[in-house]
Amino acid sequence: LDVTPLVRRDGPNDVLVRVDNTDDPELIPSHRSDFTIYGGLTRDVWLEVVPPVRVSRVDVRTPEVSRDRARATARVVLANPERLRGEYAVDAVLTGPDGRDVRARTRAVALTGDTVAEALLELPAVRAPRLWSPASPTLYRLTVALSRGREETYAWYQHVGFRWFEFRANGPFYLNGERLLLRGTHRHEEHAGYGAAVPNEIHRRDLEMIKAMGANFVRLAHYPQDPEVYRAADSLGLLLWDELPWDRGGLPSSAAWRENTRRLLREQIAQNARHPSIILWSLGNEVADLVEEPNSGRPDSLRAFLGELKAIARELDPSRPTAMRKFDAGADVVDVYSPSIWAGWYRGVYRGYEQAIAEAHAKFPRFFHMEYGADAHFGRHTETPISGEGLRIDAGFEEAVGKPVANIAREGDWSESYQTDLLDWHLSVSERQDWLTGNAQWVFKDFATPLRPENPIPYVNQKGLLTRDGTPKDAYYVFKSYWTASPKFAYIVSHTWTERAGPAGRPRSVRVYSNCATVELTANGASLGVRRRVRDDFPAQGLRWDVAFAQGPNALVARCTGDGERGVADSLAVRYTSQQAGRPQGVRLTSRPLPGGRLLVEATLVDAQGRPSLDASDRIYFDHSGGGRLLADMGTPTGSRAIEAANGRAAIELEPPRRGERAVIVARTQELNGARIIIDGR
């Protein structure tokens, strides 16, 4: 927006930015979407002082790239709101990663009084370019300067990456002429305490953690994200699926809706096409209102409109293919397609994954699997998770009995134990398929949704590898163990599973996720042997031990023993009991200080003898009166006023009351008498 006529040059100016989040049926995404659509300012807002003629946009393309030669073009758009006339020069300089200028080009532009002018600059070819890839995200710097006579009036900077890629029919994927298995996850743009107004440092931290677990691909779900996300992906070496926010809702008949959707796609491509990280323009997700539309040739059909969107994408950027997920009737319209396969969660069992992707591979010529995974409530573990055949094993103080689970998403335990098993199996399958383009786990971080009030944390999708505030679950380390070679690490499963129970003398399984070649586990100082990591040895790639815990405290230590790995270790203290606790009969409340000054108030479900009921998962409701403040609406394991217990416990953080005040915290369940704790300010 040009505010020049409104600015007072001889005094202060107040700039007010107003946004409106009123539900608008003419705009995507649909109100049926399973993620929160936030209001407020969710992007940076800048007031810039610029000259009368300036560079408003630079569209960079790399029409020719090989290992021997690369060429870039820059379409420079000039803004001239005051309709000035005269001769200007546009200079484009390409600077290499070593800081030296490698290529330059100058173009004269005559302003004739129009508000917009363009100049196309074709830079000379770069010999033996340094190619951009996840392993080596090399970026060149393009500087576009505008000058009149001897005076430079405006400069524009952006990065350029040289790479080429190919989604081959029936797979796999090639980058710069070499096969690359796409190892990915998905990201929603939000964070506890910020909603969608996420600071740049958190955007970048998310992508750094994705890169650190070994991923090379991210699907941006289900909308374009902050400019910092694309900048981070460019510099870190993460390939992106950039998605138009056509999510659910079908195809409204409104002409305004259709034009808005076309406009949004045009704007998205115009804004983001310069980023080497983007390899796919996704045209939508689950667009058929959860019902597959028949293969229709009607002009008002979903297929027809999808074809319109593809034509727009091809016109604006023919270098990138189009994609879509979960609209089988339009699979042949887009270039790359993903059906819905949720083996072991919404349908089937996770040991059916290999057959499921083989069938999809045969059906869809350019198959790229988006979305697999399972919900997990942080800190919830079980000695007997549901098996890969979909059997619930009730074992512990009783004998094992197999019981089939019809729908694991509804009837499962939502434990980290099951989530890690499912993801471990999916990775063991996908890593050995030589034809596979790749896949992407859903989702990197827990996120808020207007749906799912019945979840352990209400209104939070809990399929993340991290909690909503960025705390890793066990599953994060499963991916690190498969996808990273360095730095070396070992992680005993699990640092949130420090109290376990079972019959005396019955061994319990302990796993270690690690990228070391060999690992030794000791329990209470005694070695339980060295295990070699073998990729196809499920679970934990063979790094698992049966441990006969001693009654009371136990000390576990995992040490890497291979060449160059010694010194890498992890430790865990576990308290074990062979006493079988009864059903919960009450709630016990305690508090302890946290770093930074907050207090953690913890509710423990106990039986009639006061013993923790480690298997209890009752929903606990926290309430507060008096001084201080509960972190009650964060959607995190310690920031939710209503939350299911994880292994018999639930907690919430409290900003303590001031001196002379007191806080009263109450914890209740639907069935039990509540408990109260009083905290005095200091």
Side-chain angles (χ1 to χ4, degrees):
L1 300 176
D2 184 357
V3 298
T4 304
L6 307 175
V7 174
R8 290 198 301 263
R9 299 176 183 273
D10 56 352
N13 291 268
D14 292 327
V15 179
L16 299 158
V17 180
R18 177 182 176 182
V19 295
D20 185 347
N21 200 47
T22 304
D23 183 58
D24 187 346
E26 307 294 357
L27 287 174
I28 52 176
S30 160
H31 67 276
R32 292 189 58 180
S33 298
D34 192 6
F35 54 89
T36 299
I37 301 170
Y38 290 93
L41 290 174
T42 62
R43 295 287 188 269
D44 297 324
V45 177
W46 303 96
L47 178 65
E48 295 182 336
V49 178
V50 296
V53 181
R54 68 183 188 280
V55 178
S56 65
R57 193 169 83 242
V58 177
D59 295 332
V60 177
R61 296 290 188 269
T62 54
E64 179 185 356
V65 182
S66 70
R67 295 192 180 278
D68 299 324
R69 167 188 166 100
R71 190 166 52 85
T73 65
R75 185 175 71 94
V76 181
V77 180
L78 303 181
N80 180 21
E82 297 184 15
R83 299 181 178 273
L84 301 180
R85 297 175 180 269
E87 294 288 330
Y88 282 77
V90 179
D91 298 294
V93 178
L94 192 65
T95 304
D98 57 1
R100 293 186 296 179
D101 294 344
V102 292
R103 287 291 181 264
R105 182 70 83 202
T106 300
R107 181 78 180 270
V109 179
L111 299 184
T112 60
D114 294 329
T115 57
V116 176
E118 291 187 7
L120 179 64
L121 287 83
E122 297 188 7
L123 279 77
V126 177
R127 303 292 180 181
R130 293 179 60 180
L131 299 177
W132 185 97
S133 72
S136 180
T138 303
L139 294 171
Y140 289 72
R141 178 182 171 98
L142 178 69
T143 304
V144 176
L146 184 65
S147 59
R148 188 173 191 182
R150 296 175 178 267
E151 179 185 3
E152 182 177 301
T153 62
Y154 196 79
W156 175 292
Y157 309 94
Q158 72 180 56
H159 286 110
V160 178
F162 292 113
R163 86 285 181 270
W164 80 96
F165 61 88
E166 179 186 6
F167 286 89
R168 292 194 179 175
N170 303 115
F173 173 79
Y174 282 78
L175 178 69
N176 300 331
E178 298 178 355
R179 192 252 171 138
L180 179 68
L181 176 63
L182 294 175
R183 297 163 164 158
T185 186
H186 302 70
R187 180 182 188 264
H188 265 294
E189 183 174 70
E190 62 136 75
H191 191 86
Y194 293 97
V198 179
N200 282 349
E201 56 267 26
I202 293 180
H203 286 306
R204 187 166 188 91
R205 187 175 71 201
D206 279 357
L207 268 67
E208 287 173 345
M209 291 186 71
I210 291 172
K211 182 74 173 182
M213 78 178 193
N216 56 28
F217 171 84
V218 184
R219 178 189 182 204
L220 300 180
H222 293 291
Y223 39 79
Q225 300 193 9
D226 190 281
E228 182 64 18
V229 173
Y230 302 92
R231 288 191 291 264
D234 288 346
S235 63
L236 293 170
L238 287 167
L239 296 159
L240 297 180
W241 163 309
D242 204 21
E243 189 154 283
L244 179 72
W246 185 18
D247 183 74
R248 301 187 177 179
L251 182 66
S253 59
S254 161
W257 182 94
R258 294 177 184 229
E259 185 49 41
N260 281 333
T261 302
R262 298 184 192 102
R263 173 180 57 81
L264 287 170
L265 178 60
R266 293 187 186 100
E267 291 179 356
Q268 177 177 340
I269 294 174
Q271 289 174 15
N272 296 334
R274 67 180 183 271
H275 294 284
S277 53
I278 296 176
I279 57 172
L280 286 164
W281 298 120
S282 171
L283 304 181
N285 173 70
E286 299 183 8
V287 299
D289 244 350
L290 306 183
V291 177
E292 298 297 343
E293 183 194 46
N295 190 339
S296 171
R298 293 182 293 109
D300 61 343
S301 73
L302 282 164
R303 280 177 52 85
F305 188 68
L306 185 60
E308 287 187 44
L309 296 179
K310 180 181 178 179
I312 292 171
R314 280 296 174 89
E315 175 192 356
L316 297 179
D317 182 12
S319 70
R320 291 181 176 94
T322 57
M324 175 166 275
R325 178 190 168 271
K326 198 179 178 182
F327 177 43
D328 286 6
D332 61 325
V333 177
V334 294
D335 303 299
V336 176
Y337 182 69
S338 174
S340 181
I341 301 173
W342 279 88
W345 193 243
Y346 290 120
R347 60 187 177 190
V349 296
Y350 63 70
R351 285 186 181 268
Y353 182 61
E354 188 164 7
Q355 179 181 346
I357 61 172
E359 292 172 354
H361 175 235
K363 184 176 181 181
F364 304 109
R366 286 181 172 81
F367 163 64
F368 184 12
H369 181 213
M370 296 294 102
E371 298 192 19
Y372 67 91
D375 284 272
H377 190 36
F378 181 75
R380 180 177 289 174
H381 307 277
T382 177
E383 302 288 356
T384 53
I386 297 168
S387 72
E389 289 77 23
L391 297 177
R392 186 193 303 277
I393 310 298
D394 295 325
F397 292 96
E398 295 82 23
E399 293 301 317
V401 179
K403 298 178 182 178
V405 180
N407 187 312
I408 298 170
R410 293 177 184 161
E411 303 171 31
D413 53 31
W414 285 46
S415 67
E416 291 194 63
S417 308
Y418 181 75
Q419 185 191 44
T420 53
D421 280 357
L422 181 146
L423 297 175
D424 193 340
W425 182 262
H426 278 68
L427 288 170
S428 72
V429 168
S430 59
E431 290 291 312
R432 63 174 183 262
Q433 311 299 323
D434 59 5
W435 54 265
L436 186 65
T437 292
N439 56 19
Q441 170 270 344
W442 181 271
V443 57
F444 179 63
K445 191 166 63 177
D446 291 352
F447 63 93
T449 169
L451 309 176
R452 306 176 187 260
E454 71 282 359
N455 284 5
I457 301 178
Y459 301 105
V460 174
N461 187 310
Q462 294 179 251
K463 296 182 183 69
L465 307 180
L466 276 61
T467 62
R468 194 167 175 256
D469 60 1
T471 303
K473 303 178 188 178
D474 293 341
Y476 180 79
Y477 301 99
V478 177
F479 284 86
K480 283 194 70 172
S481 72
Y482 273 93
W483 287 351
T484 67
S486 64
K488 297 299 182 182
F489 82 99
Y491 174 80
I492 301 174
V493 183
S494 165
H495 285 212
T496 59
W497 198 8
T498 57
E499 292 195 49
R500 299 176 68 166
R506 173 174 289 179
R508 291 305 195 194
S509 178
V510 171
R511 301 175 187 177
V512 174
Y513 298 133
S514 176
N515 58 6
C516 293
T518 54
V519 177
E520 179 185 34
L521 184 72
T522 63
N524 301 322
S527 175
L528 301 181
V530 176
R531 301 281 190 272
R532 179 170 295 279
R533 183 169 62 90
V534 179
R535 187 186 64 184
D536 295 330
D537 189 354
F538 174 84
Q541 302 181 83
L543 300 180
R544 57 186 185 272
W545 292 258
D546 288 333
V547 177
F549 285 109
Q551 190 76 6
N554 293 262
L556 300 176
V557 179
R559 291 187 177 89
C560 296
T561 60
D563 293 340
E565 299 174 348
R566 291 177 174 84
V568 177
D570 188 32
S571 61
L572 180 66
V574 177
R575 179 172 291 277
Y576 190 80
T577 180
S578 59
Q579 292 184 338
Q580 183 177 8
R583 294 177 59 83
Q585 298 296 317
V587 180
R588 183 168 62 220
L589 273 181
T590 57
S591 70
R592 59 182 173 86
L594 293 172
R598 290 178 181 160
L599 298 174
L600 187 71
V601 179
E602 187 173 58
T604 303
L605 297 169
V606 296
D607 67 6
Q609 284 73 46
R611 296 173 299 195
S613 299
L614 299 181
D615 292 333
S617 59
D618 304 49
R619 189 178 294 268
I620 294 175
Y621 302 87
F622 291 99
D623 197 9
H624 161 264
S625 59
R629 183 177 73 91
L630 282 183
L631 271 71
D633 301 298
M634 305 290 283
T636 65
T638 60
S640 304
R641 70 174 70 247
I643 185 172
E644 285 185 11
N647 288 63
R649 287 182 166 81
I652 195 165
E653 293 184 41
L654 172 74
E655 291 182 358
R658 294 176 293 186
R659 185 184 299 274
E661 296 181 341
R662 61 172 37 183
V664 180
I665 313 299
V666 177
R668 303 178 176 90
T669 77
Q670 190 71 31
E671 305 295 336
L672 305 175
N673 291 329
R676 177 184 292 105
I677 187 172
I678 298 174
I679 298 172
D680 292 317
R682 297 180 180 178

